[in-house]
Amino acid sequence: MVILLRDDADEKAVAAALQGLGLWTRALTPDAGGPRMFEVETQSAHVSAELILAVPGVAHVAERKSPHPLVDALAEQYLVRCRSGADVWLGGDRTVLIAGPCAVESESQIQTIAGLCAAAGAQMLRGGAFKPRTSPYSFNGQGDEALKWLAAAAAEHGLGVVTEAMSELHVEAVAQVADIIQVGSRNMQNFALLAAVGRTGRPALLKRARGVGIEEWLLAGEHLLRHGCPYVVFCERGIAGPNAEMRNTLDLAAVAYLRHILKLPVAVDPSHGVGRRDLVLPLAKASAAAGASIILVETHDQPAQARSDGAQALLPHQLTELSVALDLEPVEPPSASHTGYTSRFSEFYKKSVQERRRVLTRQLGLSPATQRYLREGTLDLGVADHMTENVISTFALPLSLGLNFRINGRDHLIPMVVEEPSVVAACSNAARMVRASGGFRGDATRSVMTGQVQFDRVPNIAEAAKILRDRRDEIIALANEAIPRMVARGGGCVDADTRELDEASGLLVLHLYVDVGDAMGANVVDTVAEKLAPVVQSWIGGHIGLRILSNLPLRRLVHIECDVTAEMLGGEELADGVARASSFAEMDPFRASTHNKGIMNGIDAVALALGQDWRAIEAGAHAFAGLGREYRPLATWSRTATGLRGVMEMPLAIGTVGGSVQAHPGVRAAMELVRVDGARQLAVVMAAAGLASNLAALRALAGEGIQQGHMRLHARKSEILAAASGILPSRPTHA
Ligand code: MEV
């Protein structure tokens, strides 16, 4: 039995824990960068894999039933984070298409072909910079120059790169560019090369040599893994066979065996498998059916002019056919011409989900990473595992778009994640009405968060407060010393004051006001509070209590307002009804809480889509609504000569940098859709969604009642749930 250790495992502690279970182990020394392993001695006790896996630091347990334990332990799926920003899941539910020319011939050739590949839905670009050729007189690649062209073309089109390292001499240069390093079939048993590729720490695609059996192929993979390669994909590309009509004989039985019996990641290269383009498509389909989750093909825009292997290169339309057969969705190159950013899409709700994405991409020119996220909507488990603790899976909700928003003279598409039907439709509808009167107008204060430091049992809180007032500048300077990076970005502590809460218990609170720029700011403020506490204590005595931000950031407010005509709203009676509903909320906290819930329907949905701390937002909103008086509505509506004016002010602690904003690909996609240039603008956009949501709710309540529209959509949802087939019918839901 072989036990693999986690990267961060303490080898001695693991060995001791295993010994405690009755297992005597011998460390298998890895080469530089390779995974650390223990071999369990045969005289050890019999212990179940579950118990061994429960030992901290143990990553995997494999029976040593074969000479390639590392291959046996390979996960079925693996995420390749490509330099272009694309995330490619190998071995997942979706087939990965790797396409490109046999050889990178020129800068313009690879640019053109990369565009074709991306447009066809390929996730990775292949192309040889160093070409092994049977004849020494054949074209053998453009070398280092070709690597540069390949990297640029992949970056331009958001593709990953697969390219071959032909000798140890090229490995380093190839590893600078390749997201997956290919080891060619002629080199499958070049052990020095395998070791060198392994040491780069990059995943590898290992082609099977023409004349070898499966066991030798797996052992070649073991060489790669043993030397530090994190993942190997086994690529079948044809073995020697009797058919002169074909270049090779594609061994699909081996593909099925690797995938279904050995549960290994397997790719097929049908281009080399048959050597003729007219048979590539049927063989690619057969490969996928046999279990290949990765298809690697050669393609060329002008195969007749190709400097190598032109006969097997797919024509562009054949590549598209292949992509359709593999059920891939094309990704538009970012350089394609687009109509421009807008929040208006006619009859968006009538389209299928796929059509909506297509329209959006064509109109806005979304980055390939965003297009791919929208298509797949997944969160990598590795990323999830770093976000919180005890992760066992991920959890998805619909990502929708709030339409028609015009805010401060600019359109904004508003990404929204919410489980409640009608919120997105209602918001978009209200935004359409407001748009007719010029849209929303808003502004946000500087992003000043409040940090609190609690001091108990201070001997004289009035005197202590005076000391802190007198030393205010010193406090600010000390605070800023703790957060030099924030200060360098133009933020930092801007003010400090005190709250004398209870003379009897000596409770005094120091407030620190910190401009956190485009961040949400919790970490920055907590850092400052913790840094200052002991210094201040040395001045005023007492005991240090809590040091934490306040979720009522009164110096971080957003103001939003809008007009809507009675005509747009549906008549004078409805406009009166909305104004009366607003007065009702001003007079009655029971109503105000529901009124505010309607506002938060919009704000929370945007907060979720954009990876914000919505609990902090909720806490701030409701504390503000009840601040120093009876709980009140955050937004109010009053009659104007032409209709209604809505006004809202509330704290909004949100960020466009740091936290989940950077880690979650869905949040990055949502940020690309909303197009804001920082936290203050985002606060205004979120507030507009809240005010729109409020208007829509009040209009419905003042008119036909909430149930009619709401229940129509609820009925639709129940229908879908009842169908419970897992396949949701794609049909219009609402206007
Ligand atoms: C439902 O999610 C929200 C409403 O109750 C808001 C309101 O009453 O204003 C409709």
Side-chain angles (χ1 to χ4, degrees):
M1 181 188 281
V2 172
I3 297 172
L4 260 78
L5 305 195
R6 289 187 188 284
D7 290 347
D8 57 357
D10 175 345
E11 211 167 302
K12 278 196 186 139
V14 178
L18 292 172
Q19 218 172 74
L21 294 174
L23 296 172
W24 301 94
T25 54
R26 186 167 61 85
L28 300 176
T29 324
D31 280 6
R36 291 177 300 158
M37 298 176 272
F38 286 141
E39 174 144 50
V40 178
E41 308 275 2
T42 43
Q43 75 274 21
S44 297
H46 184 77
V47 178
S48 73
E50 284 78 16
L51 264 181
I52 300 173
L53 282 168
V55 171
V58 170
H60 193 83
V61 180
E63 282 300 330
R64 204 185 207 335
K65 60 179 185 286
S66 77
H68 35 70
L70 296 176
V71 168
D72 297 343
L74 270 179
E76 278 186 72
Q77 294 191 16
Y78 182 80
L79 175 74
V80 186
R81 309 220 92 137
C82 302
R83 292 177 172 90
S84 65
D87 285 349
V88 179
W89 269 108
L90 303 176
D93 293 340
R94 267 178 188 278
T95 309
V96 171
L97 178 61
I98 304 174
C102 171
V104 179
E105 296 165 7
S106 70
E107 192 171 5
S108 64
Q109 173 246 18
I110 192 67
Q111 272 290 350
T112 306
I113 297 176
L116 295 172
C117 293
Q123 291 101 314
M124 304 194 81
L125 180 65
R126 54 141 298 144
F130 305 96
K131 295 301 304 173
R133 303 307 301 277
T134 309
S135 159
Y137 305 108
S138 302
F139 169 66
N140 61 359
Q142 304 279 33
D144 290 332
E145 201 67 3
L147 287 176
K148 279 190 219 146
W149 300 332
L150 187 62
E156 164 79 14
H157 297 279
L159 297 164
V161 171
V162 180
T163 191
E164 179 170 349
M166 232 181 71
S167 97
E168 290 163 73
L169 292 177
H170 307 139
V171 167
E172 236 171 75
V174 167
Q176 298 296 315
V177 167
D179 297 301
I180 299 179
I181 300 178
Q182 179 177 316
V183 176
S185 92
R186 289 174 179 82
N187 270 319
M188 194 202 86
Q189 287 180 313
N190 178 344
F191 301 117
L193 176 65
L194 294 176
V197 169
R199 280 193 293 269
T200 66
R202 303 232 46 97
L205 182 132
L206 178 64
K207 289 204 167 180
R208 180 183 180 184
R210 262 184 115 228
V212 305
I214 290 173
E215 192 65 6
E216 283 174 83
W217 190 15
L218 300 183
L219 277 167
E222 187 76 9
H223 272 271
L224 283 162
L225 294 167
R226 182 83 179 82
H227 289 92
C229 178
Y231 200 68
V232 175
V233 173
F234 293 90
C235 181
E236 165 62 30
R237 45 78 73 202
I239 52 174
N243 305 317
E245 296 79 358
M246 262 81 73
R247 186 168 172 177
N248 292 300
T249 298
L250 202 57
D251 184 4
L252 292 186
V255 173
Y257 180 73
L258 256 67
R259 175 69 186 261
H260 299 293
I261 308 298
L262 303 184
K263 311 280 183 216
L264 289 174
V266 51
V268 171
D269 169 0
S271 305
H272 284 88
V274 278
R276 39 190 293 174
R277 77 171 65 92
D278 52 357
L279 292 182
V280 168
L281 178 60
L283 278 169
K285 288 200 240 175
S287 305
S293 55
I294 299 148
I295 303 289
L296 179 85
V297 291
E298 290 188 352
T299 185
H300 204 289
D301 59 328
Q302 296 173 303
Q305 267 84 59
R307 297 186 68 181
S308 55
D309 285 352
Q312 65 193 36
L314 289 178
L315 296 162
H317 77 270
Q318 291 174 315
L319 186 68
T320 309
E321 259 175 72
L322 171 61
S323 143
V324 172
L326 297 177
D327 199 21
L328 299 174
E329 208 174 292
V331 171
E332 287 230 0
S335 53
S337 62
H338 303 288
T339 331
Y341 188 78
T342 173
S343 64
R344 308 256 308 152
F345 288 89
S346 94
E347 304 199 315
F348 201 62
Y349 65 96
K350 284 190 180 167
K351 301 184 194 313
S352 69
V353 175
Q354 285 82 352
E355 265 179 308
R356 286 182 202 136
R357 287 203 297 256
R358 220 167 291 139
V359 167
L360 206 62
T361 304
R362 240 175 271 142
Q363 177 83 34
L364 312 184
L366 298 174
S367 70
T370 292
Q371 290 180 52
R372 288 205 179 92
Y373 178 79
L374 296 184
R375 184 169 70 194
E376 278 151 30
T378 49
L379 174 64
D380 162 35
L381 261 187
V383 175
D385 202 21
H386 279 95
M387 279 178 140
T388 62
E389 309 73 38
N390 299 348
V391 170
I392 53 168
S393 187
T394 55
F395 182 91
L397 281 173
L399 169 62
S400 312
L401 279 182
L403 302 180
N404 305 322
F405 278 86
R406 194 154 183 84
I407 305 165
N408 290 338
R410 269 193 56 189
D411 274 24
H412 287 279
L413 277 166
I414 305 202
M416 301 176 85
V417 170
V418 61
E419 87 298 344
E420 185 176 329
S422 93
V423 169
V424 178
C427 233
S428 305
N429 199 28
R432 182 182 58 80
M433 295 176 196
V434 170
R435 191 182 180 94
S437 300
F440 295 87
R441 304 175 294 277
D443 195 11
T445 60
R446 281 175 74 184
S447 309
V448 176
M449 293 294 278
T450 307
Q452 293 193 299
V453 187
Q454 174 198 2
F455 294 97
D456 285 314
R457 284 174 266 157
V458 174
N460 182 337
I461 61 170
E463 213 170 274
K466 180 169 180 327
I467 294 174
L468 298 189
R469 270 196 304 279
D470 292 346
R471 302 184 83 153
R472 177 182 160 277
D473 290 349
E474 212 177 323
I475 290 172
I476 294 173
L478 279 168
N480 283 334
E481 270 173 30
I483 46 168
R485 287 216 311 253
M486 181 52 74
V487 174
R489 287 205 296 270
C493 187
V494 290
D495 198 5
D497 63 20
T498 53
R499 285 168 57 78
E500 296 164 45
L501 288 188
D502 184 31
E503 178 69 61
S505 63
L507 176 53
L508 176 81
V509 182
L510 169 66
H511 273 199
L512 297 156
Y513 300 101
V514 185
D515 184 343
V516 295
D518 286 324
M520 187 275 184
N523 288 334
V524 175
V525 171
D526 296 348
T527 303
V528 169
E530 287 185 9
K531 163 87 190 299
L532 275 183
V535 181
V536 171
Q537 185 196 30
S538 71
W539 298 339
I540 64 169
H543 288 256
I544 297 170
L546 312 183
R547 291 138 294 160
I548 185 82
L549 91 167
S550 163
N551 282 123
L552 179 55
L554 283 184
R555 299 198 189 183
R556 194 174 192 179
L557 298 180
V558 59
H559 176 95
I560 191 91
E561 58 180 58
C562 68
D563 291 304
V564 58
T565 62
E567 196 191 340
M568 276 310 279
L569 207 62
E572 296 292 336
E573 213 173 306
L574 268 180
D576 277 341
V578 170
R580 281 204 310 278
S582 177
S583 308
F584 174 17
E586 285 184 72
M587 288 172 210
D588 178 21
F590 291 93
R591 173 56 209 159
S593 72
T594 323
H595 179 102
N596 287 347
K597 193 270 182 180
I599 295 170
M600 301 314 287
N601 271 348
I603 293 181
D604 284 347
V606 188
L608 258 171
L610 293 170
Q612 305 297 326
D613 180 347
W614 75 95
R615 287 89 54 213
I617 295 172
E618 283 279 340
H622 298 295
F624 187 73
L627 194 65
R629 55 189 178 196
E630 204 163 40
Y631 186 90
R632 289 172 60 84
L634 293 166
T636 53
W637 296 87
S638 52
R639 289 296 318 246
T640 60
T642 54
L644 281 171
R645 171 161 299 168
V647 179
M648 181 170 85
E649 188 165 74
M650 64 180 287
L652 212 40
I654 47 98
T656 52
V657 295
S660 0
V661 176
Q662 269 143 24
H664 196 300
V667 172
R668 293 199 296 264
M671 281 289 177
E672 186 175 329
L673 289 165
V674 74
R675 295 212 185 160
V676 290
D677 58 18
R680 289 169 72 180
Q681 199 179 23
L682 179 58
V684 173
V685 168
M686 288 172 73
L691 194 58
S693 195
N694 181 227
L695 173 62
L698 298 189
R699 177 179 176 269
L701 289 166
E704 61 175 18
I706 204 75
Q707 286 305 77
Q708 266 199 38
H710 213 63
M711 281 335 237
R712 249 195 325 269
L713 298 175
H714 263 304
R716 150 115 172 98
K717 193 166 82 167
S718 314
E719 198 184 293
I720 289 169
L721 291 176
S725 61
I727 299 163
L728 306 184
S730 185
R731 62 186 176 89
T733 52
H734 42 252

